[in-house]
Amino acid sequence: FSRDRKSMSCYVVPKEPTKLFNGNKMFVKGAPEGVLDRCTHVRMGTDKVPLTPAVRREILRLTLEYGTGRDTLRCLGLATVDDPIKSEQMNFEDSTQFVKYEQKMTFVGVAGMLDPPRIEVRDSIQQCRDAG
């Protein structure tokens, strides 16, 4: 994970080719807006299609709705790099380099999870509400 790019990725090398994996992939999770900024395509069913401005706006609208709705979900954007560079060409020791590897991604979805505020921040939240 990197706070700068607000994402984390895993490089996966399959043991053998399958219908879903015919080569290496990177799986990326992170702040939806940051992940979307680095996506060029979106997965719709089994199809990979170009990510249009209209689809990007709709994804961000729904993510905002999930994050501010009744349940206030913490949202993570999910994406893949379908043809990453070879792992031998990556510098795994320097996380600042990963922003270069997490490019031309395919957006696959948003996961929302309940993440209620910790008890110890209750007073701070109330002070913010009181302040307006």
Side-chain angles (χ1 to χ4, degrees), residues 1 4 42 61 72 84-85 93 99 104 113 127:
F1 179 80
D4 295 333
V42 63
R61 184 190 70 75
T72 311
I85 65 172
E93 302 301 317
V99 73
K104 299 180 184 174
M113 60 192 137
Q127 288 176 3

Side-chain angles (χ1 to χ4, degrees), residues 83-126:
D83 191 20
I85 65 172
K86 293 186 184 330
S87 60
E88 298 83 27
Q89 297 172 311
M90 294 181 165
N91 180 353
F92 292 109
E93 302 301 317
D94 183 1
S95 66
T96 63
Q97 298 298 307
F98 269 73
V99 73
K100 292 191 265 185
Y101 313 144
E102 295 173 354
Q103 296 295 324
K104 299 180 184 174
M105 298 191 299
T106 301
F107 191 81
V108 295
V110 174
M113 60 192 137
L114 288 173
D115 188 18
R118 294 186 305 269
I119 299 283
E120 59 267 22
V121 299
R122 186 177 302 210
D123 291 340
S124 297
I125 293 171
Q126 189 58 50

Side-chain angles (χ1 to χ4, degrees), residues 25-109:
K25 278 193 190 278
M26 281 181 62
F27 293 93
V28 181
K29 68 176 182 176
E33 62 280 359
V35 170
L36 267 173
D37 284 346
R38 291 174 276 146
C39 288
T40 56
H41 289 79
V42 63
R43 180 87 48 209
M44 293 198 175
T46 58
D47 297 327
K48 178 178 170 178
V49 298
L51 178 60
T52 64
V55 171
R56 180 184 307 269
R57 281 191 303 274
E58 182 63 9
I59 291 168
L60 290 172
R61 184 190 70 75
L62 287 170
T63 301
L64 179 63
E65 185 178 311
Y66 299 155
T68 58
R70 181 180 60 96
D71 293 323
T72 311
L73 301 175
R74 178 180 292 207
C75 295
L76 286 174
L78 308 171
T80 61
V81 179
D82 297 323
D83 191 20
I85 65 172
K86 293 186 184 330
S87 60
E88 298 83 27
Q89 297 172 311
M90 294 181 165
N91 180 353
F92 292 109
E93 302 301 317
D94 183 1
S95 66
T96 63
Q97 298 298 307
F98 269 73
V99 73
K100 292 191 265 185
Y101 313 144
E102 295 173 354
Q103 296 295 324
K104 299 180 184 174
M105 298 191 299
T106 301
F107 191 81
V108 295

